[in-house]
Amino acid sequence: MVVSTERAPVNGSRQRRSHREVADVLRDRIRSGSLRPGQRMPTQAELADEFGVERGAVREALRVLHREHLLSNVSKGSPATVAEVPERAPLGAGSERPQPTMVGLAPRIASAFEAPHVEIDALCLTSVSLTMAIGEPLRQIHAGRRKPAKVDVRVLLPSRDIDLAFPAPVDGGDDEGDWVHRRWLDQRNAQGQVLRHNLLALRASHGIDVSVQFRALPFTPPVKLYLINGSEALFAYYTLTKRDEETGAGQEPLETYDAQGTQSMLFPFHQGEGVRDTTFVEQSHLWFNALWNTISQELRLAAG
């Protein structure tokens, strides 16, 4: 039996979800393109049924989005309409701001899994953040609240065969450099294997058509990029700091240059939200595809 995600309550209680939580989900759908400019919203009754809340919470959520200029016709008898120019929303309490990767990526990935065909491209150093972010939609799928028909994930990671610009020892010889490289490589491989295993398992458990591909880059990426469902780009800089790494019992910590990717600030760009955002999303896809189809090579997620 196929479980519908359109009308399934987000949770089983009509008392637990606040109007702000409902507004957050609907705002994400508008910004991701799931709800497009000019499109009529579901009725208040349908939204109340979907989110498992009273109609009063839905009405207040719609008013919040109307104040942010994301919806029109909220006060009229017919269902509200997605505003024609949502990019003009003021920079207020509900507007989208850059957020640390650990905070900003997970809800965007979870929202992506509402689509029947999920497409995620990522360029990063280890895929730690992506693996963590995909955990929530996987839980929703196993709970029967999501069921995309198809999931395509492509990940570009640095090659094991290059001298990484970072992480790298501040001072030290070949032994220290080899230790830092092995530590990064173990993390890259372990996270990639977990990501691939968890997604491919959806084939057997839920009959979802899943493709997970990795390719290796001949350079250390100074930025991270996530492209979601062809309509959204999340961009962040890797900012380097000095860090002390424990190398083993009784050993002196090793000072390294490294970046804490989970804290890198993600800047969101959305297709259709102005010339700047649309162009950035389009050019990011062109850039990613060019790397994927030219200088990247097959990546082996294995130890050694």
Side-chain angles (χ1 to χ4, degrees):
M1 177 180 177
V2 177
V3 178
S4 171
T5 61
E6 294 298 319
R7 297 294 303 275
V10 175
N11 63 44
S13 170
R14 289 187 175 267
Q15 305 299 325
R16 295 178 183 174
R17 282 237 159 187
S18 71
H19 73 275
R20 294 190 182 279
E21 290 174 297
V22 174
D24 288 343
V25 174
L26 295 177
R27 184 186 300 109
D28 283 344
R29 292 178 185 176
I30 293 171
R31 294 196 178 279
S32 69
S34 296
L35 292 170
R36 299 189 176 279
Q39 181 177 343
R40 182 167 290 187
M41 296 285 289
T43 66
Q44 292 183 14
E46 290 170 337
L47 291 172
D49 184 55
E50 177 188 354
F51 289 96
V53 297
E54 301 295 342
R55 288 198 192 185
V58 171
R59 284 194 293 272
E60 188 56 36
L62 296 178
R63 292 191 189 106
V64 168
L65 299 179
H66 181 252
R67 289 194 294 269
E68 295 174 14
H69 299 270
L70 295 174
L71 293 179
S72 60
N73 302 325
V74 169
S75 60
K76 299 180 179 180
S78 59
T81 303
V82 179
E84 289 291 344
V85 193
E87 68 269 19
R88 292 182 182 173
L91 187 60
S95 298
E96 203 168 5
R97 291 182 171 87
Q99 293 180 308
T101 299
M102 182 173 287
V103 177
L105 183 60
R108 304 308 314 127
I109 297 295
S111 179
F113 273 76
E114 296 177 5
H117 183 188
V118 180
E119 296 179 278
I120 299 172
D121 292 336
L123 180 148
C124 45
L125 192 64
T126 61
S127 78
V128 170
S129 299
L130 180 60
T131 301
M132 291 191 299
I134 279 183
E136 177 57 26
L138 292 180
R139 285 189 287 272
Q140 293 177 351
I141 289 172
H142 290 300
R145 295 197 294 268
R146 294 283 185 273
K147 188 167 182 189
K150 188 175 183 180
V151 177
D152 288 319
V153 175
R154 300 188 299 173
V155 184
L156 285 170
L157 297 167
S159 168
R160 63 188 291 133
D161 299 323
I162 65 173
D163 292 328
L164 290 172
F166 64 91
V170 175
D171 297 301
D174 292 340
D175 290 343
E176 288 80 6
D178 289 343
W179 181 87
V180 173
H181 189 275
R182 286 196 304 272
R183 182 175 178 276
W184 162 80
L185 183 61
D186 289 344
Q187 186 179 50
R188 186 205 73 169
N189 290 343
Q191 293 297 323
Q193 289 168 352
V194 170
L195 178 64
R196 181 171 60 189
H197 171 79
N198 289 346
L199 286 170
L200 293 180
L202 297 176
R203 290 177 178 173
S205 63
H206 292 79
I208 298 173
D209 182 6
V210 178
S211 171
V212 186
Q213 302 177 71
F214 296 86
R215 288 187 68 81
L217 292 168
F219 61 88
T220 309
V223 299
K224 59 165 57 180
L225 177 69
Y226 304 96
L227 304 174
I228 302 175
N229 287 358
S231 63
E232 184 172 7
L234 300 171
F235 174 90
Y237 296 101
Y238 281 118
T239 302
L240 300 185
T241 60
K242 285 185 178 181
R243 299 173 58 183
D244 287 334
E245 299 290 350
E246 298 295 332
T247 59
Q251 302 291 323
E252 289 290 328
L254 178 64
E255 193 175 32
T256 65
Y257 291 122
D258 202 355
Q260 193 169 2
T262 57
Q263 297 304 314
S264 298
M265 296 296 289
L266 280 178
F267 291 81
F269 298 85
H270 303 275
Q271 186 89 28
E273 293 200 5
V275 174
R276 185 201 65 156
D277 276 33
T278 297
T279 303
F280 187 88
V281 173
E282 292 173 349
Q283 291 298 310
S284 294
H285 277 282
L286 290 173
W287 184 63
F288 185 95
N289 287 329
L291 292 175
W292 186 271
N293 294 320
T294 59
I295 61 175
S296 67
Q297 297 179 339
E298 182 181 355
L299 187 150
R300 181 167 59 94
L301 293 171

